Amino acid sequence: MPTCQNCGKKWSWFDSIKKLLTFRKSMKCNHCGKIQYQSASSRNITSLLVLFPIITIPFSIMFNLSLTSALLLELALILVVLFVMPLFLKLTNIEEPLW
């Protein structure tokens, strides 16, 4: 779980997912109120995780899955990605450039 770089407290999974799903660059720590940013490496990893369900669509077509099976597979993958994303969240005090 991510740790605030100011106060050193760990964020809960629920707080982490809530902050990630706001799609803002800055995140406010619930413990100390200081602004935190997602690190560049963490942004890269979570971006790849979000793309994973989209990448699997051609495979469902290639294996001739029914529409219902493909939708259930995509839903399951989206839920797995949402569950795993906070584990890769790393925080920093400064906003790091993308590249």
Side-chain angles (χ1 to χ4, degrees):
M1 300 286 30
T3 304
C4 177
Q5 297 299 306
N6 287 311
C7 66
K9 299 220 177 175
K10 288 192 179 231
W11 289 13
S12 69
W13 180 88
F14 183 74
D15 288 337
S16 301
I17 197 71
K18 190 169 69 171
K19 301 287 183 181
L20 279 170
L21 292 178
T22 60
F23 301 109
R24 292 188 181 151
K25 287 185 178 183
S26 62
M27 302 177 223
K28 195 177 205 181
C29 177
N30 288 338
H31 303 289
C32 66
K34 298 288 184 181
I35 298 295
Q36 296 288 290
Y37 299 94
Q38 187 176 8
S39 70
S41 63
S42 177
R43 274 195 311 257
N44 292 337
I45 291 170
T46 55
S47 297
L48 289 175
L49 282 173
V50 169
L51 289 176
F52 184 67
I54 297 169
I55 293 170
T56 60
I57 291 173
F59 292 107
S60 62
I61 294 169
M62 190 170 73
F63 290 115
N64 291 329
L65 292 177
S66 68
L67 180 61
T68 306
S69 298
L71 289 175
L72 287 175
L73 175 67
E74 292 300 315
L75 180 64
L77 288 173
I78 289 169
L79 291 175
V80 166
V81 166
L82 282 175
F83 182 74
V84 171
M85 263 187 3
L87 300 176
F88 293 100
L89 178 61
K90 302 286 185 237
L91 300 174
T92 180
N93 287 332
I94 58 170
E95 186 176 0
E96 297 175 351
L98 284 174
W99 307 106

